[in-house]
Amino acid sequence: MNAPSVVSVADRAGFHIFASALRESSHSSSLEGVGPFTVFAPSDAAFQKFSKAALDKLLTGDRALLDTVLGYHIAAGRVASARFVGRRIRAVMQAGGDVIIDGRSGLRVNAARFVKPDLGARNGVVHGIDGVLWSRETAESVAAS
């Protein structure tokens, strides 16, 4: 039996909303492929911080917006959290933007904290986080809901 993909690992670790959204997105087929990928998976609680209107818009209303937001959680390569410790790194994400990973005092990606790092998958690694990542422009689009 094959080891699970990054999407399945995220789902099995309790990041159900994120995994479900990935399965419905244009990222699904590539994330089931070879990889490797580093995926930052927001907790269900992170998604539940949004208003119902904003969450509906993100998850079911605007496919392009969803693909952009999800792409902001995916990077090429398999990077374990140990590589971030004591460093501040700018990482380019699949959506084209970048994030700041700060391991100088705990582990953070932008404002989100790592809550379940280093969940291994056959095609990469998943780091569970407590926030949703996106560019300022994307945040403004969701907030306009």
Side-chain angles (χ1 to χ4, degrees):
M1 186 170 166
N2 287 340
S5 70
V6 290
V7 177
S8 294
V9 166
D11 197 22
R12 291 176 184 180
F15 302 95
H16 305 297
I17 295 171
F18 180 70
S20 177
L22 283 174
R23 286 186 177 106
E24 297 298 319
S25 76
S26 65
H27 301 287
S28 179
S29 61
S30 65
L31 291 175
E32 292 296 336
V34 176
F37 304 101
T38 296
V39 175
F40 297 96
S43 65
D44 288 359
F47 284 103
Q48 293 164 351
K49 291 177 185 175
F50 296 105
S51 70
K52 179 169 178 13
L55 189 59
D56 286 348
K57 179 179 180 180
L58 176 62
L59 296 178
T60 61
D62 186 336
R63 184 73 170 220
L65 175 63
L66 179 62
D67 283 345
T68 298
V69 170
L70 295 175
Y72 215 66
H73 293 80
I74 305 163
R78 179 190 308 256
V79 184
S81 65
R83 293 213 22 223
F84 305 134
V85 174
R87 304 175 68 198
R88 187 171 189 271
I89 301 165
R90 181 178 307 269
V92 177
M93 307 310 283
Q94 196 169 58
D98 57 1
V99 297
I100 301 296
I101 302 166
D102 194 341
R104 297 175 299 178
S105 178
L107 287 172
R108 291 188 172 277
V109 55
N110 289 354
R113 289 177 300 144
F114 283 51
V115 294
K116 285 188 180 177
D118 301 315
L119 302 169
R122 72 171 153 72
N123 61 345
V125 63
V126 176
H127 301 297
I129 58 175
D130 68 356
V132 178
L133 306 174
W134 45 30
S135 67
R136 180 174 295 136
E137 297 81 19
T138 304
E140 291 167 359
S141 175
V142 172
S145 298

